[in-house]
Amino acid sequence: METLTDVLLVTANVGSLFNNLGEIQSEWLQELYKTIHCHKPQFIALHFQEVGGKDYMVNMGHAENFFRCIESSEEMKDYDRVCIYVDSQFQAEDVFTALGSMYFIHKTLKNIYQYDFNVKEFKAVSGQNRYVGSLDRVTTVEKEKFVKNFWPDFKWSRKGFMRTRWIIHNQGFDLVNVHLFHDASNLTACEASPSIYSANRKNALRYVINRISDSRYTSLPFFLFGDFNFRLDTLSLVQHLSTTADVQTVKKDSSNVVEKIICEEKDNHHQVLLHIEEKLFAYLNQAYFREENVPSLLKYDKEVAAFQDVIREEDIKFPPSYPYSEEYTKPTQYMNTRCPAWCDRILMSHTAGEFIHRGDHDEKSIVYNTLGSNVCMGDHKPVFLFFSLKTNGH
C-alpha cells in the first residue's frame, strides 16, 4: 500500500547570524517555526553551513547554543526523535567543515531507520542523538572536507560535505549537506564565461556526486542541499546589463591589473549604472533582481545545467537567496558586495525526483521557496523544499 510522508528540507548558510546575534536570531527561528507549523512535516532535515561564522573561534559557543535552542523549543516538542551532527571542532583545521545537520522525526512517523556506515546496516532511530564537536568517530554520518588541490590558488577554506542515509517505510535515500567554493573576486568572475570559480565548483560537485555514488556502499537516491555558491554567469550578465552603456576598465597604476569596471549611461547625465570592484557589485537598478524578473535572470544561472544527466531541481520562482543586507530594517535589500545569485539550493538525483508525490491541484503541493522573504535572515535567505514522499507503508 502506498503511503505519503510529508518531508521538509531546509538549507541555511548561518554564518552571518553570529555576527549580530539577538534580534536576527529570534526572528530567524520564528520564520523557521512558522514554516514548520504551516506544512506540518513528519520528517525535517535542516542543513547548516558556516556554523559559527567567520569568527568561529569566538562564536562556536553561540552556534552550539543556537542548535540547543531549536532542539528544546516548544515548537519542536512533537518531534520525539532527533539526530544532530555539528562539526564544530575548529582546532582540527585539516578536517573542519563548519557544517551542521539536524533531523527531526515526528511522533506519528513509525518506520524510520538510519544507516551505520561502519557496520553497513540500518538501525531504527530512537531518542535524542546529539553529536557536537569532532564527528570522526560517529558512524551514522560520513563527512569530508575538500582537499587543498581543488583550489590551489586560494587560502584554506571551510568547505566540504556531510552525508546521512535513511529509510522511511521502505524507501531509502541519502541526505547530503554541501558547501562549495565562493567567488573570491568579482573582477576575476568577469574575466571568462564560465568563470574560473564556476569551474572549481563543477569539479567539487562532480567529486561529491562520485563519492556518494561509489562502490563502497549501495548507491541510493539522494537529496543534495546546501550552499553551492552557484553564481550567475557574471561576464554574460554584465555584458547584457551594459549593452546601452559606456564601459570603462580602470587599471591599477601603470600595471595591467584591472581595479574596477564602470558602466555609465551614454546620455548626457553619464549616470553610473554598474560599478564593479573585487568586493563591490553596485547596480543602480536593484529591482532587476526582484521576483518579477526571475525568469529572465535564470538564463544566467547555468551551473546546475552541467549536471542535468544526474541531478534535477524543482522550478525556482523566488529571487536570488544571496547577498541580502544584514541590516535589520532592510530585509529585502541586497548588499552591493556581490552580484545576487541563487547560492542556496535543494537538488536531487532523478531517482529521488521520482518518489516525490505530484498530486492534483487540491492536494498538498510541492513548495520550493525562501524562508523569511520579508524578514532579515542574514546575508543568505534559507531555502526550503516541502513535499510528500511516496513510500510503501504497512
Side-chain angles (χ1 to χ4, degrees), residues 12 46 55 68 83 127 130 169 202 238 265 308 383 390:
L46 308 177
D55 209 355
R68 270 194 295 274
C83 299
R130 194 181 296 99
H169 298 304
K202 188 176 172 181
V238 168
E265 279 182 356
Q308 60 194 26
V383 169
K390 293 192 281 198

Side-chain angles (χ1 to χ4, degrees), residues 58-76:
V58 176
N59 286 327
M60 198 52 87
H62 294 311
E64 291 175 4
N65 204 29
F66 172 70
F67 290 108
R68 270 194 295 274
C69 229
I70 298 175
E71 190 193 352
S72 60
S73 75
E74 181 63 20
E75 284 84 356
M76 305 304 281

